[in-house]
Amino acid sequence: MSEAAIHSVTAPVARPELLASLDPLLREWLPRQRWFAGKGRPVTGFSLVTANELLPSTAQLGLLHLLVRAHQPLTPAQGAGTRPGDCYQLLIGVREALPPHLAPALIGHVEEGPLAGHTVYEALHDPRPADVLLEALRTQARIGELRFERDRRQEIRGDLVPRLITAEQSNSSLVFGDTFILKLLRRVVPGVNPDLELPLTLAREGCPRVPAPTAWMAADLDEETYVLGVLQPYVQGAVDGWELALGELAKESEPAEDGCRGGEGFTGEARALGRATAEVHTALARALPTVTLGHVQMELLVDGMTERLATAAQAVPALRPYAAGLRTAFEALADLASEGQTWTAQRIHGDLHLGQCLRAPSGEWSLIDFEGEPSKPLAERRMPQPPLRDIAGMLRSFDYAAHAVPGALGSAPAGGTPVPSVPDWADICRAAYCAGYAEVAGRDPRADPVLLRAYETDKAIYEVLYEARHRPDWLPVPMAAIRRLAASP
C-alpha cells in the first residue's frame, strides 16, 4: 500500500454512537484479555478518547483504531471517590462475516449503530490490518491524532509477512518476516514512556545490549503524547532467559551417574547475562542524570517497603508469621541511612527478570521491555533508582526458574537419583550473575548486602501478594524465599 493510499483511505471517526454500539460487546470481551488490568471488577461503561479509521468500515474489510477508557468501581485500596478509567488501545477489524480461521479473534456481532450487521474482531490476528500498521510506520503517516515515526537510517520493507505472538503478555506483539517486532502497548498513559525513551537513549550511546527502535507510533491528544507502539529489530533464533534456564534445569534434573549436578550448565550464561546487565546500567548512567540518595530519600524508600509488607500481610495470612523477620531487612537499611551512608540512583530497567532477556544464537544477550511495572504510575517508573533493584529482580528470577521444573525441588524423579535442592542451582547462578556484573561495573552487587536484601525482600513480598491473587499454586515459590529472607541476619 502506498503512502498516498494510506492517507486517502483513513479519516478520524467522531461518532459517539460507534462506541455505544460496541459497548455491550466490549464489556464481555475486554475483561477476558490477558492485558486487561482491571480483572475482578465489573466494567460499568466506556468513554471514547479517540477513534480513527485505518481502513474504511464501508469496505469489505474495515480497521478501527480506538483509545477507550474502561470505567470500573474503585477498590478499597484505591480509596473513595472516582478516578479516570484506564485507557486501552484497541485495533478492531470489521467484516460482514468472519472467516473460520479468524474465529478465535471474535469480539461479537454489532446489532445497531454505524456498524450494524457487521462482525467485529481483534484485528491483530489478521495479516491485512497488520500490514496497514507496518506501512503507516514505513511511510511516517499521520492519521487523525495518530503519528507514525521512524528512524530513516533503517530500512523497512513493505513485503514482510506478519504473525501475532500468542504467548501471554501484558501487551501485544507482531513479528514481521523475522525482521522486526512491533510491540503494541495496550494500557496506555500520557507522557514519556521508558519503553521508547530508554532504548532510544541506549542506541545513541552505542550500547549493543538493547535493540534500537526502528519506528514508533503515538497519539497526540490535549497537548499530551501517548506512546502506542515500538518497532524494533527481531532477534531471529533468540531464546529468552526463562526458557533457556528451564531447558538447562531440565537437563540437570535428569539422573547423573555420580548423583551430582548443580547449575554448572547455566553458570556461563548467568555470568554473561550479568555482564550485559552491567553494560546497560553503565550506559544509562553515562547518558542520563544520576542522583544521590541520602537519609531523607532512603527513609521514604524504607517507608514504602514497610507499607507494602503490611498490606501484603493483611491480604495473605501465610505471610504474617514472617512479618517481623522481614521487617528487619528494611530496618537495617534505615539504620545505615541514618548513619550517613548514601547510594547512587540512576535510570534502570525497572522490571528485570529472565523473561526480559534474549540470548541470540551468537551467544550475545539483549535486554528488552523497558516499560517497567505497568501497574505503577509513569512518573514513578521514570524515577532514578539504585541499580540493585534490577539485580534483585534477576536474583529472584533464578529462584523462580529453579522451582519451575519438575524434580527441581529436591525430590527424586521416578527411578532416579535426587536432584539438588533449589539453593544449589539458584545460588550458583546468582553468584555467577553477580560476578559477571562486577567484571563490567567494577563493583560486585553483593558488596552492598543490606540494600540487596531489602530489595529482594520487597520483591518477594510483591510476589507473594501476586501469586495469592492470581496463581495460588505458585505461592510456595515466593514463600520459600520469604522464610529464607526472614531468617537472614
Side-chain angles (χ1 to χ4, degrees), residues 205-272:
E205 281 294 307
C207 178
R209 298 294 165 236
V210 177
T214 302
W216 52 94
M217 56 185 291
D220 296 317
L221 299 162
D222 300 326
E223 299 184 351
E224 292 192 288
T225 296
Y226 291 69
V227 174
L228 304 178
V230 181
L231 184 77
Q232 292 175 287
Y234 181 72
V235 185
Q236 189 172 3
V239 181
D240 74 52
W242 177 256
E243 293 298 329
L244 189 64
L246 295 192
E248 292 294 337
L249 253 172
K251 294 176 185 176
E252 296 191 17
S253 297
E254 297 173 356
E257 292 183 3
D258 58 3
C260 297
R261 298 190 186 274
E264 292 85 352
F266 201 70
T267 301
E269 300 294 352
R271 183 181 292 268

Side-chain angles (χ1 to χ4, degrees), residues 38 91 119 124 138 165 224 268 272 291 307 316 340 363 417 424 450:
L91 287 126
T119 298
L124 298 183
R138 191 182 72 81
I165 293 180
E224 292 192 288
V291 298
E307 183 178 342
V316 186
T417 305
D424 293 325
V450 174

Side-chain angles (χ1 to χ4, degrees), residues 202 207 209-210 269-284 346-349 352-354 356-357 365-367 370 387-392 394 398 433-434 436-438 440-441 445:
L202 290 164
C207 178
R209 298 294 165 236
V210 177
E269 300 294 352
R271 183 181 292 268
L273 185 51
R275 290 195 295 267
T277 305
E279 287 183 35
V280 171
H281 281 170
T282 53
L284 287 173
Q346 63 166 84
R347 296 298 299 276
I348 61 172
H349 182 282
L352 193 61
H353 54 77
L354 285 166
Q356 307 283 42
C357 308
W365 283 95
S366 299
L367 274 56
F370 281 75
L388 259 64
R389 184 176 183 272
D390 273 352
I391 293 164
M394 187 61 71
F398 286 123
Y433 176 79
C434 289
Y437 189 94
V440 172

Side-chain angles (χ1 to χ4, degrees), residues 117-370:
H118 288 76
T119 298
V120 292
Y121 63 102
E122 167 59 87
L124 298 183
H125 289 262
D126 195 343
R128 175 66 193 288
D131 286 340
V132 171
L133 291 176
L134 186 65
E135 182 66 9
L137 291 165
R138 191 182 72 81
T139 60
Q140 295 185 277
R142 298 290 188 272
I143 305 172
E145 299 89 349
L146 304 181
R147 171 168 49 86
F148 297 81
E149 303 285 356
R150 61 171 289 194
D151 181 349
R152 283 284 185 178
R153 296 169 297 178
Q154 301 185 54
E155 180 187 2
I156 301 177
R157 288 169 36 205
D159 59 348
L160 300 174
V161 178
R163 72 176 188 274
L164 179 66
I165 293 180
T166 56
E168 286 198 354
Q169 296 179 316
S170 55
N171 294 289
S172 297
S173 296
L174 286 164
V175 174
F176 292 91
D178 290 336
T179 302
F180 296 110
I181 182 167
L182 173 61
K183 177 181 177 181
L184 290 162
L185 304 178
R186 287 304 200 161
R187 185 168 59 144
V188 297
V189 295
V192 179
N193 194 302
D195 213 15
L196 176 60
E197 174 198 16
L198 296 186
L200 282 175
T201 298
L202 290 164
R204 288 192 293 267
E205 281 294 307
C207 178
R209 298 294 165 236
V210 177
T214 302
W216 52 94
M217 56 185 291
D220 296 317
L221 299 162
D222 300 326
E223 299 184 351
E224 292 192 288
T225 296
Y226 291 69
V227 174
L228 304 178
V230 181
L231 184 77
Q232 292 175 287
Y234 181 72
V235 185
Q236 189 172 3
V239 181
D240 74 52
W242 177 256
E243 293 298 329
L244 189 64
L246 295 192
E248 292 294 337
L249 253 172
K251 294 176 185 176
E252 296 191 17
S253 297
E254 297 173 356
E257 292 183 3
D258 58 3
C260 297
R261 298 190 186 274
E264 292 85 352
F266 201 70
T267 301
E269 300 294 352
R271 183 181 292 268
L273 185 51
R275 290 195 295 267
T277 305
E279 287 183 35
V280 171
H281 281 170
T282 53
L284 287 173
R286 285 196 310 266
L288 298 171
T290 62
V291 298
T292 298
L293 303 181
H295 183 208
V296 173
Q297 294 84 0
M298 296 305 290
E299 187 175 32
L300 292 173
L301 179 68
V302 168
D303 287 347
M305 292 176 168
T306 305
E307 183 178 342
R308 287 189 288 275
L309 170 59
T311 300
Q314 184 176 8
V316 186
L319 193 60
R320 295 172 192 168
Y322 305 99
L326 297 172
R327 201 175 296 114
T328 63
F330 309 144
E331 292 168 349
L333 182 58
D335 290 343
L336 274 185
S338 65
E339 294 168 4
Q341 182 165 332
T342 61
W343 289 265
T344 299
Q346 63 166 84
R347 296 298 299 276
I348 61 172
H349 182 282
D351 189 24
L352 193 61
H353 54 77
L354 285 166
Q356 307 283 42
C357 308
L358 296 178
R359 183 189 179 276
S362 64
E364 297 295 322
W365 283 95
S366 299
L367 274 56
I368 60 172
D369 291 340
F370 281 75

